[in-house]
């Protein structure tokens, strides 16, 4: 069998978690391949909202295996809090959660470094989630990192102390205010204690060679869904650098993030919102700094699932979507949140950019580095609720027109259309 992939085509928060949960019954294994607790994946099950940060979004299906892959980085304390929340809701992750021994650990000092770097950058800051993502991936690449497999070794504490000292010496050269020493408003020493308590708990979870597990499962005919975090425009190579995250969020990241060959990739579900959002700094050509943008934010409840920050909102950007489709080899499009625009009488859609008087159809290095003027086409709104619609044919004609427009531009079908946060508010074609 193949590994199907589900990932975001924009700047994250497209609604990946919801769709992974909806698709999970079709798969044997759900595996996260990159990112860490910078992610916030929301599932709404029977009216109850759950936000997952590190744990794959298939966890609510006890008969399905969920894997935190080697490409993921995890903060043990955040992970243990996530586990506790699941247990409180009657889910027992001990029966179906496996963790790669090769996944790296986010240390409390990675979080302090993240905060110190951001503070030092002032107005030019990335707008990171302050979860220690950049510093942890930096240590991974620089070969200083500590992995889940290390927590089983007798010299784990030594390794921890050595890396912590390294971080403290870097921090000493930064002029930051004392708030940096608070992590999620918790004093460093307390956070560190929670972190070690979490390590004790995680020692009792199955820590595995997930690349062997997954490849064997594929050979036995099992199916795998790889769950992406963040979005393609936050990819460290192809996103709006430097305003990106520190991992490869695109399909290519699945191979290195799970240890599977490119030939094992099957379908690629590309998830996008019917409009765009972005949280944090960086270019956003179709951003709306007006009432329409505010309407999208309020109506779409566009506030970060991880940090609670208001998300920047704007119109759908087709050059950016085409670029993401190209990078990922998307086979199936998944459109989310069209319902948020139910009341609009007309909807803009960006088809190209004007750069220095010239029209450009592609998202390029230049269009992501310079101010551009989006070129819009205006389509009529459907001005009707989508409540209760379960069949594509019953959708308002003007919403189908909007979808057709995107499909023609993308050269791909929209296979799934989401009309609300709930599992049941999903139309499949
Ligand atoms: P993810 O990070 O890609 O999993 O997305 P987030 O969970 O951060 O953000 C998506 C938000 O939109 C969550 O609050 C979801 O509950 C919500 N959502 C998902 N699909 C829909 C939809 O079709 N319509 C509406 N109105 N909300 C949705
Ligand atoms: P999900 O998986 C939206 C953004 C941050 C910041 C930049 C770098 O829920 O879609 P980082 O903490 O990774 O160093 O931050 O990336 N960012 C996200 N934005 N959704 C996410 O995840 C994000 N993860 C990181 O806001 O701009
Ligand atoms: Mg999110």
């Amino acid at each position: 069998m193949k590994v199907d992939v589900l990932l975001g085509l924009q700047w994250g928060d497209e609604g990946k978690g919801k769709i992974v949960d909806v698709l999970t019954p079709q798969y044997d294994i759900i595996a996260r391949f990159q990112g860490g607790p910078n992610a916030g994946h929301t599932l709404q099950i029977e009216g109850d909202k759950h936000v997952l940060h590190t744990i794959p979004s298939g966890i609510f299906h006890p008969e399905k295996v969920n894997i935190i892959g080697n490409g993921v980085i995890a903060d043990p304390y955040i992970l243990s809090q996530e586990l506790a929340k699941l247990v409180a809701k009657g889910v027992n992750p001990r029966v179906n959660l496996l963790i790669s021994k090769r996944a790296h650990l986010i240390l409390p000092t990675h979080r302090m470094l993240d905060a110190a770097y951001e503070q030092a950058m002032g107005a030019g800051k990335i707008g990171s989630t302050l979860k220690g993502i950049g510093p942890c991936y930096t240590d991974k690449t620089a070969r200083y990192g500590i992995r889940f497999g290390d927590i089983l070794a007798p010299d784990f504490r030594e390794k921890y102390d050595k890396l912590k000292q390294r971080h403290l010496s870097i921090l000493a050269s930064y002029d930051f205010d004392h708030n940096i020493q608070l992590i999620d408003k918790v004093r460093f020493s307390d956070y560190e204690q929670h972190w070690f308590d979490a390590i004790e708990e995680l020692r009792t979870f199955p820590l595995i060679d997930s690349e062997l597990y997954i490849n064997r499962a594929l050979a036995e005919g099992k199916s795998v869904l790889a769950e992406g975090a963040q979005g393609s425009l936050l990819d460290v190579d192809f996103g709006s650098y430097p305003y990106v995250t520190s991992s490869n969020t695109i399909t290519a990241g699945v191979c290195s993030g799970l240890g599977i060959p490119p030939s094992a990739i099957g379908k690629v579900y590309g998830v996008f919102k019917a409009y765009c959002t972005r949280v944090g700094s960086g270019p956003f050509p179709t951003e709306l700094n007006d009432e329409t943008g505010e309407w999208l934010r309020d109506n779409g409840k566009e506030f970060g699932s991880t940090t609670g920050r208001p998300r920047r909102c704007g119109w759908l950007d087709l050059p950016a979507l085409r670029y993401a489709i190209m990078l990922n080899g998307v086979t199936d499009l998944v459109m989310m949140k069209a319902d948020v625009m139910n009341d609009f009488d007309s909807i803009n859609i960006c088809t190209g950019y004007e750069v220095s008087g010239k029209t450009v159809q592609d998202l390029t290095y230049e269009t992501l580095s310079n101010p551009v003027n989006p070129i819009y086409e205006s389509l009529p709104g459907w001005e009707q609720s989508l409540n209760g619609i379960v069949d594509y044919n019953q959708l308002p004609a003007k919403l189908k027109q909007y979808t057709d427009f995107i499909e023609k531009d993308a050269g791909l079908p929209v296979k799934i259309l989401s009309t609300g946060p709930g599992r049941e508010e999903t139309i499949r074609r």
Side-chain angles (χ1 to χ4, degrees):
M1 290 288 278
K2 298 272 185 184
V3 176
D4 288 350
V5 180
L6 185 143
L7 43 71
L9 298 179
Q10 297 162 322
W11 281 285
D13 302 329
E14 295 88 350
K16 300 173 291 293
K18 164 181 164 165
I19 300 299
V20 170
D21 173 59
V22 166
L23 293 178
T24 295
Q26 291 169 226
Y27 293 91
D28 298 304
I29 298 169
I30 311 299
R32 273 276 304 269
F33 62 92
Q34 48 68 235
N38 46 349
H41 295 181
T42 315
L43 281 58
Q44 195 175 299
I45 303 169
E46 287 161 14
D48 201 8
K49 187 175 144 179
H50 314 268
V51 183
L52 297 166
H53 301 288
T54 325
I55 297 172
S57 300
I59 199 71
F60 286 89
H61 301 257
E63 68 291 1
K64 308 294 180 175
V65 173
N66 283 258
I67 299 179
I68 296 176
N70 60 279
V72 174
I73 58 176
D75 181 324
Y77 181 44
I78 295 180
L79 178 52
S80 85
Q81 286 176 311
E82 261 183 274
L83 291 167
K85 276 190 193 146
L86 287 173
V87 170
K89 289 184 172 176
V91 176
N92 179 11
R94 284 195 183 271
V95 300
N96 63 337
L97 181 67
L98 307 174
I99 303 171
S100 169
K101 283 183 186 166
R102 295 173 193 273
H104 280 243
L105 299 178
I106 301 176
L107 271 56
T109 40
H110 280 133
R111 298 198 56 181
M112 284 170 74
L113 282 170
D114 202 357
Y117 294 158
E118 284 285 78
Q119 202 176 90
M121 280 193 279
K125 69 177 182 181
I126 308 289
S128 111
T129 57
L130 302 178
K131 303 294 174 196
I133 303 297
C136 182
Y137 274 121
T138 302
D139 278 346
K140 172 178 175 174
T141 316
R143 297 158 297 176
Y144 297 120
I146 303 182
R147 301 183 288 175
F148 268 92
D150 293 323
I151 72 181
L152 305 171
D155 64 346
F156 172 64
R157 183 71 206 215
E158 268 165 59
K159 278 193 173 139
Y160 172 87
D161 286 336
K162 202 168 154 199
L163 189 54
K164 175 181 161 185
Q165 279 315 316
R166 202 187 142 72
H167 293 161
L168 292 179
S169 60
I170 299 171
L171 281 162
S173 66
Y174 275 81
D175 182 24
F176 53 82
D177 70 41
H178 73 282
N179 284 330
I180 299 288
Q181 288 162 30
L182 295 176
I183 304 175
D184 291 339
K185 300 190 185 131
V186 177
R187 273 209 334 252
F188 176 79
S189 53
D190 293 338
Y191 196 92
E192 193 180 43
Q193 188 54 53
H194 295 319
W195 194 91
F196 275 105
D197 292 346
I199 290 284
E200 288 312 311
E201 181 190 355
L202 292 171
R203 255 194 244 278
T204 65
F205 268 78
L207 305 178
I208 63 159
D209 289 298
S210 58
E211 65 284 10
L212 293 178
Y213 184 97
I214 291 173
N215 281 288
R216 280 180 190 146
L218 292 172
E220 285 165 12
K222 299 224 166 88
S223 55
V224 180
L225 180 64
E227 173 178 1
Q230 291 77 58
S232 304
L233 303 177
L234 289 171
D235 180 271
V236 65
D237 280 279
F238 299 105
S240 45
Y241 194 89
Y243 303 102
V244 293
T245 191
S246 301
S247 63
N248 281 117
T249 60
I250 57 173
T251 303
V254 177
C255 295
S256 54
L258 294 180
I260 56 137
S263 56
I265 302 283
K267 276 189 197 177
V268 180
Y269 291 97
V271 186
F272 69 100
K273 279 180 194 164
Y275 49 95
C276 279
T277 64
R278 170 163 208 169
V279 57
S281 325
F284 182 178
T286 62
E287 181 170 14
L288 291 165
N289 290 307
D290 61 8
E291 280 174 4
T292 311
E294 265 167 48
W295 167 274
L296 287 171
R297 182 160 43 250
D298 292 344
N299 240 30
K301 302 199 175 69
E302 297 295 359
F303 295 89
S305 315
T306 297
T307 57
R309 292 178 292 177
R311 295 176 183 151
R312 301 154 65 191
C313 297
W315 299 117
L316 185 64
D317 184 334
L318 289 180
L321 195 67
R322 283 197 297 271
Y323 184 69
I325 289 169
M326 174 192 81
L327 293 172
N328 290 301
V330 173
T331 58
D332 295 37
L333 287 170
V334 182
M335 184 163 89
M336 313 297 291
K337 301 189 93 160
D339 56 291
V340 174
M341 300 197 292
N342 282 348
D343 293 339
F344 288 6
D345 54 5
S346 77
I347 298 173
N348 283 352
I349 190 161
C350 168
T351 55
Y353 313 116
E354 192 203 276
V355 193
S356 319
K358 286 196 193 125
T359 302
V360 183
Q361 302 292 348
D362 290 319
L363 185 146
T364 61
Y365 184 91
E366 276 73 29
T367 54
L368 274 182
S369 320
N370 298 300
V372 298
N373 285 323
I375 300 166
Y376 289 116
E377 185 128 351
S378 186
L379 297 183
W382 42 94
E383 297 182 86
Q384 114 177 37
S385 160
L386 307 178
N387 267 351
I389 301 182
V390 288
D391 183 342
Y392 186 80
N393 296 318
Q394 290 165 358
L395 285 175
K398 285 173 183 155
L399 173 52
K400 285 195 258 179
Q401 192 184 336
Y402 188 73
T403 312
D404 284 350
F405 191 93
I406 297 165
E407 289 183 328
K408 277 208 185 78
D409 188 87
L412 281 175
V414 173
K415 286 283 184 72
I416 303 176
L417 231 134
S418 170
T419 59
R423 268 180 178 170
E424 61 298 341
E425 294 168 295
T426 313
I427 298 173
R428 308 200 44 182
R429 282 164 93 194

